[in-house]
Amino acid sequence: MTSAPGPGDGARAWADGAAARFSLGGIRTAEFLALLYTPELAAAVEGLDAVVRDTPAVGTARRGRAGTGPRPAWAPRVFTDALPADLRHRLLVWTELVPARRHGIGRTLTPPDAAANDVYRVLHRHLREDGAPWEAGLLSLYLDMCLAHVVDVHSVLAVCERLTADAPAEHLERLEEMGVRRFGARGDQGSGPPAPGPEHVRLLRLLQRLDRSRTPEDVLPPGDLFGDLLSTARPDLWNGTGTADLLVHLLEPPSTRPSAAWRRRTAGHLAALPDAAATVLGILDLAPSLPEAGPRDRWDTSADHLRPHVQDILHGAVWCADLLPEEAREAAVPVLEQAAAFTGTGPGGSRKVRAERAASAAVRVLAGWGGPHGARALARLGAVIEKETLRRVLAAAEASLPAASRGAP
């Protein structure tokens, strides 16, 4: 809990009344509402609810779609935009608690309540984009509410992603605690094995940007197939300087062809490694040693073998290899060939492959390097890869090779 003084009787009375009136669930919601309370908030809640009830829900989803936001003349936005920043931020927390996703489970909403909840949701998305700095104690309270599972981690991260490196130490400590308590040893895939899901990756990238220390265990919790393999087979890489930061970076891989911005960021991570070639090729060299996953280990992917975050790591690592010095290519060619053969095939026939994006990336990198070694590697891959989409990538790659390299003995 926050170290701020406890709420007074007036705050507790307002919180209990608001929780009952708006049917807010959760045993701790009223406790946190009392800490959120100010007389200005109580008045704003009443005024905002009146505006929301008079606002039609038709079209609010379109107005609130990501990237557009509610129109400037939209009545709830007009109401909140005129308020001081601290009060807007308190209303952000309030609008997260009010909609039916918090209190509508298991009961039927009347049409007016359903329409109001839609408006509150759209308004919440708008308030979340507010760039004004948060008062330190209020943001600490919001983080405490997230740790207590009273508010959604996605919204909290959206607010915290605006923090700068000079953010109060208490905020950074709470974010690190969130990593341990909300994700920790299980990732954020509650019904499956440990894995870093989207919200965990966002938190890791936020902490990385704020220059907070990380270990590989923060990225790949114990029980993760790839993390366990890397830590046991290559403890030198697992414990190496810069490995954790590189893994965080690879969890948000490039698109089919990396952008210049991704290459710049990647080059920075590679420069921080004692031996970039050894680290990148060591990660890729481990891929064929991954144990076959059982149904529980592949519960959230249609692939027969690799979970999405492992596919992302391998895909990004392949493009990291493309940024290694030219003198590292001779050693990299067989590693990329092996990785492409493993990720471009799979148990159960040609229709299911382990990581098609990683295999395609390896083929494109080998073709881009050219030379007789790359040409021979591509020819050998053509003999083992069966999936039609990958074969088209192979054909285009071979066609792009200089004539002198094609059919190299």
Side-chain angles (χ1 to χ4, degrees):
M1 279 296 299
T2 183
S3 58
D9 292 341
R12 285 191 289 267
W14 175 80
D16 291 340
R21 176 184 167 193
F22 289 90
S23 302
L24 302 183
I27 59 174
R28 300 197 64 186
T29 301
E31 174 188 346
F32 281 110
L33 277 179
L35 293 169
L36 187 70
Y37 169 82
T38 65
E40 295 79 12
L41 176 64
V45 163
E46 294 301 318
L48 178 60
D49 194 59
V51 172
V52 166
R53 301 280 168 178
D54 288 337
T55 302
V58 178
T60 55
R62 289 192 297 275
R63 287 199 294 272
R65 191 168 52 200
T68 60
R71 298 170 184 168
W74 194 54
R77 174 176 173 173
V78 171
F79 182 92
T80 58
D81 284 1
L83 300 174
D86 179 72
L87 193 48
R88 292 198 304 272
H89 296 156
R90 291 177 189 274
L91 283 175
L92 165 72
V93 182
W94 172 258
T95 57
E96 184 170 352
L97 297 173
V98 173
R101 63 194 172 102
R102 287 288 164 198
H103 64 77
I105 299 174
R107 72 183 184 89
T108 302
L109 291 177
T110 63
D113 283 341
N117 285 341
D118 288 340
V119 175
Y120 274 122
R121 286 193 186 95
V122 174
L123 181 61
H124 176 75
R125 289 196 292 271
H126 168 62
L127 291 171
R128 203 168 61 201
E129 298 305 312
D130 192 324
W134 278 57
E135 188 272 322
L138 179 58
L139 184 52
S140 293
L141 175 62
Y142 197 28
L143 287 165
D144 283 340
M145 294 174 75
C146 184
L147 287 169
H149 299 270
V150 174
V151 295
D152 182 51
V153 66
H154 176 83
S155 296
V156 174
L157 287 175
V159 169
C160 290
E161 281 165 347
R162 293 186 175 83
L163 289 174
T164 59
D166 60 352
E170 63 179 306
H171 294 165
L172 302 181
E173 290 167 2
R174 281 177 169 81
L175 287 170
E176 290 175 324
E177 185 180 358
M178 186 189 303
V180 173
R181 288 175 54 183
R182 295 210 55 148
F183 306 123
R186 65 170 183 85
D188 57 346
Q189 310 274 343
S191 57
E199 307 304 346
H200 190 190
V201 173
R202 285 179 65 187
L203 175 61
L204 289 169
R205 289 180 64 80
L206 171 61
L207 291 171
Q208 184 181 65
R209 182 175 62 77
L210 297 175
D211 199 28
R212 302 298 281 186
S213 60
R214 282 154 307 284
T215 66
E217 289 91 343
D218 296 329
V219 187
L220 301 175
D224 177 83
L225 289 180
F226 189 78
D228 288 351
L229 175 63
L230 182 60
S231 64
T232 54
R234 293 298 304 268
D236 56 322
L237 298 184
W238 182 256
N239 298 312
T241 301
T243 299
D245 281 337
L246 180 64
L247 290 172
V248 172
H249 176 64
L250 296 181
L251 286 172
E252 193 169 77
S255 55
T256 303
R257 293 189 181 276
S259 65
W262 189 89
R263 286 178 175 270
R264 283 195 302 271
R265 291 193 301 272
T266 305
H269 287 293
L270 296 180
L273 298 170
D275 188 337
T279 301
V280 171
L281 299 182
I283 288 173
L284 290 171
D285 197 43
L286 286 177
S289 300
L290 276 165
E292 290 294 335
R296 180 176 179 271
D297 297 310
R298 60 174 187 262
W299 74 282
D300 61 343
T301 176
S302 60
D304 275 349
H305 189 86
L306 302 180
R307 300 187 70 191
H309 71 286
V310 180
Q311 297 184 44
D312 289 340
I313 289 173
L314 294 178
H315 179 211
V318 169
W319 284 113
C320 283
D322 193 39
L323 298 177
L324 295 176
E326 191 168 347
E327 56 267 25
R329 290 182 181 178
E330 184 175 351
V333 166
V335 176
L336 286 179
E337 178 188 348
Q338 175 184 256
F342 177 75
T343 57
T345 58
S350 65
R351 294 181 64 84
K352 296 282 184 80
V353 298
R354 294 180 175 94
E356 186 166 346
R357 287 179 302 133
S360 297
V363 167
R364 291 187 172 102
V365 170
L366 288 170
W369 289 351
H373 294 298
R376 287 194 292 268
L378 291 175
R380 287 190 292 267
L381 288 171
V384 298
I385 288 177
E386 299 180 8
K387 189 166 185 181
E388 187 60 31
T389 53
L390 274 175
R391 292 193 65 82
R392 288 198 291 268
V393 174
L394 267 168
E398 291 182 315
S400 71
L401 292 171
S405 296
R406 298 176 201 166

